[in-house]
Structure formats: structure tokens, C-alpha cells
Amino acid sequence: MLFFIPFILALVACGAGNTGGQSSGDSSDKKEAGLDSIKNDSNSNPDGDSINFGAHQPGIAYHSAASGISSVVSENIDGNLTVKPYSGPNAWMPALNSGELDMGILSYADMAWAKDGKNGYPKKNPNIRMLVRGNTIVTTGLTVRVEDDIQNVADLKGKRVASEYSGNQILQQITTAQLQASGLSWDDVEKVPVTDVDSGVEALRDGRVDAVFTGTPTVATFTEVDTTKDINGLNWAGVPPEDIDQYPEETVKKMESFVPGIQPATFKDGFLNKEKTLVSYPIGLAANADLSNEEAYTIVEVLWNNYEDLHAQFSWLETWAPEQMFDPEPPIPYHPGVVEFFEDEEIWTEKAEKHQEELLNEME
């Protein structure tokens, strides 16, 4: 027995070593084969075998939309999309540009800023590419506690306002635009730095700030706070919903200088006590330029052909449809795999091709 035990242990060790070598080879083969070889099961390695998808943290609408997109795509391919949470696109953009992340969901404004290295993006990101245009989202902007009796943005002069939003700079830009639309600047309020939406909302609930950014009023992060501490959004530029048609054009242009594509809109739902004048802007999906053409083509093809399945996933996705997924003049150039898909669908135009070439030249 003393003679055979070491012999048996040696055989077991050799067998384990052979198994490890085979697993490594299989993983490599999967990566070389592309998206179709990714197995959608609990034993797969999400970092090595899936498409990594950057989004906001759970509880934020961007994350809910990303989860819905991931679910539909993963159900229609032999693989999966894995959602990776961050505080916002400013936080995950370096990972996308380097290829650590394969794709992400963000606003059109963030796409433009990331391309040019502006507004929280310290350097240009030449490897960002467009996949599809998504929905137009409604954003509340500055939100206050009802008990504080703050009726207008102008009433915030000298008050504490959440600021900076280091992980998601579009929030800072939106808040700046809303202050400016009411004749205020950051010098007129007491700035209270926060890192992201959650920390800002927590500060409002705890009474450490008097106003804070909130996004779509129906999102759980905001409606949950409303159940314990009654909150409400403030009209943009002091314009009530019934006067939306008289919204000053000069004010809109000033707002767009801070957030490209932003437009006034009315909305009544979620934590809003009544209909309010808010703003809207488009969002979309972006990818790393080194995502294979086959993978980019397949992701867009699945979304295009299964758009109705997206509608049941999350409210933001209810308007996703082929007719709005193609934008002839997006803020960043399309991924070549997506261009191929649009060409196959016979919707790629000379206008789109010219715009594509102009954007690619800007990124050289």
C-alpha cells in the first residue's frame, strides 16, 4: 500500500494537468471562432468568453436598458452579453477605448465628448464606434424635497446643489444647462461634490443637499426615494408645460451648447407631482473598433430583427425599432461591421458615407 499510494497520486496529478491544458486550448479556440462559439451557460467565463457591455450601476435606467438588450441578444445567439456596472461612461470609456470593454450604452452627447476628449473625458478616444441609435430619454434635472417649498430653479440661489458627478459628467453639464436656463451659475449656489446619481440622491434624502440631479422620473432609484421623502422636479427655464410652445429659442441654443441634442419636453409620471417641463436627448450603443465585424454585425442584426422582444424588457426600449436604429449622421463613426449590415439592408446612403468619412478623418 505504501508503494502504490505515491504512484496513484502521481497519475492523478498528471491527469489534472492534462485536463487544464485542454481547457486552455478550448478557451482559445472559442475566442478565435468569434461570437457564435460563446456558450451561454453558468460555467462560461464572463470576462473571457462573452461580450463585455459597459453601463451605469444597477437601479439606473441605463443599466436596466443594458440588461434588457443583453437578455434579447443572448437569447438569439450562441453566446452572451455581460453587463459591467460603472458610475457612468466617463468611468468606463477608457476600458472601451482600450478593448477591455467591447461595447457600452451612453448618450449622444457623451459619444461626441468622448471622441473629442471634452467634458470629463481627459483625452480623445479614437477607438469608439457607433452600433445603433436607441431611444430619446426624458430627464428631470434638478429635483428638490417638497417640504423645502422650492418652486423654481431661481429659488436655489444660495442653496446647496449636488455637483461634479465625476463618474458621469453629462449630469454636471445638464445641471449647468438648467441653472443657466434660469439665469443662475454655479457661483450662485453652494456646490456639494458627489460622484454619481446614487450618492446625489442619498444626499438629498439625508438633507445634505437642497437639489440634486435625477433622470427619468419613473426609474426605481428615484421613485423609491419619493416613497420615504416626497420629491419633485423643477420646470426647466421656469416654463410651465402649458407654455412649452413658447420655450425661448435662445435658451434652447444655450442649453445645446452644454449638452448637444438636448430639447425641452413635457412629462408626467413617476415621482412628479404633476406635469413638468423637462428635457430629452438621444442615446445609443457604441463599441470598440476592434470588436470583430462579425460580432458587430450579429449584435445589430439581432436587435434589428428582434426589436419587439426589446419592448417588454424595459420602458426605455419600447421605442427601439429598425426605423430609428439607423442614423445617417451619428456623433461618432459606425463600426465597419454595422456599415456592412446597413448596406445589406439597402439603407446605407451617400449622405451617411460622406458623414462616416468625415468622422473617421477627425479621429486620425
Side-chain angles (χ1 to χ4, degrees):
M1 289 295 294
L2 291 175
F3 173 78
F4 281 111
I5 289 174
F7 179 70
I8 293 170
L9 290 175
L11 289 176
V12 171
C14 291
N18 290 337
T19 300
Q22 184 176 355
S23 297
S24 175
D26 289 344
S27 177
S28 177
D29 291 340
K30 285 180 181 179
K31 291 178 182 178
E32 292 176 3
L35 187 64
D36 289 342
S37 68
I38 303 171
K39 299 302 180 185
N40 185 16
D41 63 347
S42 59
N43 296 320
S44 63
N45 178 353
D47 291 322
D49 293 346
S50 68
I51 300 297
N52 291 325
F53 189 178
H56 291 56
Q57 64 269 42
I60 302 302
Y62 278 97
H63 188 278
S64 299
S67 297
I69 292 166
S70 175
S71 176
V72 171
V73 173
S74 296
E75 287 175 1
N76 288 278
I77 62 171
D78 191 13
N80 59 37
L81 268 61
T82 301
V83 178
K84 302 286 185 177
Y86 292 79
S87 57
N90 294 94
W92 57 251
M93 186 56 65
L96 181 77
N97 191 61
S98 68
E100 181 182 344
L101 281 178
D102 300 294
M103 59 183 288
I105 184 169
L106 69 169
S107 72
Y108 261 38
D110 276 298
M111 291 182 189
W113 296 333
K115 174 178 73 71
D116 298 331
K118 297 178 179 179
N119 295 327
Y121 297 92
K123 61 181 182 179
K124 295 182 178 181
N125 295 273
N127 296 325
I128 183 174
R129 295 293 183 270
M130 186 78 173
L131 289 177
V132 295
R133 175 173 58 188
N135 55 298
T136 297
I137 67 173
V138 175
T139 292
T140 307
L142 288 166
T143 297
V144 297
R145 294 180 297 270
V146 172
E147 65 187 45
D148 293 338
D149 197 31
I150 298 172
Q151 301 297 322
N152 301 292
V153 175
D155 297 336
L156 292 174
K157 189 171 184 177
K159 302 287 187 180
R160 301 163 299 171
V161 178
S163 66
E164 296 192 13
Y165 292 96
S166 55
N168 195 8
Q169 276 291 294
I170 190 174
L171 310 188
Q172 176 76 0
Q173 293 295 111
I174 291 174
T175 307
T176 301
Q178 190 169 12
L179 290 172
Q180 292 262 341
S182 293
L184 298 181
S185 72
W186 285 107
D187 293 333
D188 296 313
V189 300
E190 181 183 342
K191 295 187 290 186
V192 180
V194 296
T195 57
D196 53 32
V197 173
D198 281 347
S199 59
V201 171
E202 182 179 352
L204 181 68
R205 183 182 58 228
D206 295 344
R208 290 180 280 116
V209 296
D210 302 302
V212 65
F213 171 90
T214 57
T216 304
T218 55
V219 172
T221 296
F222 311 128
T223 57
E224 288 172 3
V225 173
D226 190 50
T227 61
T228 58
K229 185 70 67 172
D230 194 13
I231 61 175
N232 199 22
L234 300 176
N235 284 323
W236 276 70
V239 178
E242 58 268 23
D243 295 335
I244 190 72
D245 292 338
Q246 284 77 49
Y247 203 99
E249 186 61 31
E250 183 178 344
T251 301
V252 175
K253 290 180 179 178
K254 184 180 292 186
M255 287 159 47
E256 285 187 310
S257 70
F258 291 101
V259 184
I262 196 169
Q263 292 290 314
T266 60
F267 192 80
K268 180 185 178 181
D269 206 350
F271 68 79
L272 297 177
N273 293 341
K274 60 180 180 179
E275 187 176 29
K276 293 285 183 174
T277 299
L278 310 182
V279 289
S280 64
Y281 53 86
I283 68 170
L285 299 181
N288 176 269
D290 291 331
L291 183 71
S292 75
N293 289 358
E294 179 186 0
E295 290 168 334
Y297 188 109
T298 300
I299 290 170
V300 174
E301 182 181 37
V302 169
L303 295 174
W304 187 275
N305 293 331
N306 300 276
Y307 69 93
E308 292 181 343
D309 293 338
L310 292 171
H311 298 174
Q313 296 292 326
F314 181 59
S315 58
W316 273 19
L317 304 178
E318 291 175 358
T319 59
W320 284 52
E323 57 267 22
Q324 55 83 41
M325 289 185 187
F326 171 62
D327 182 354
E329 296 183 299
I332 55 175
Y334 278 106
H335 190 288
V338 179
V339 173
E340 181 182 352
F341 174 79
F342 288 145
E343 287 176 338
D344 288 347
E345 290 294 319
E346 299 183 347
I347 60 172
W348 188 253
T349 62
E350 291 184 5
K351 179 181 179 181
E353 181 63 30
K354 180 181 179 181
H355 187 70
Q356 176 84 351
E357 292 176 358
E358 290 173 351
L359 289 175
L360 289 172
N361 288 334
E362 290 178 9
M363 301 182 80
E364 290 181 353

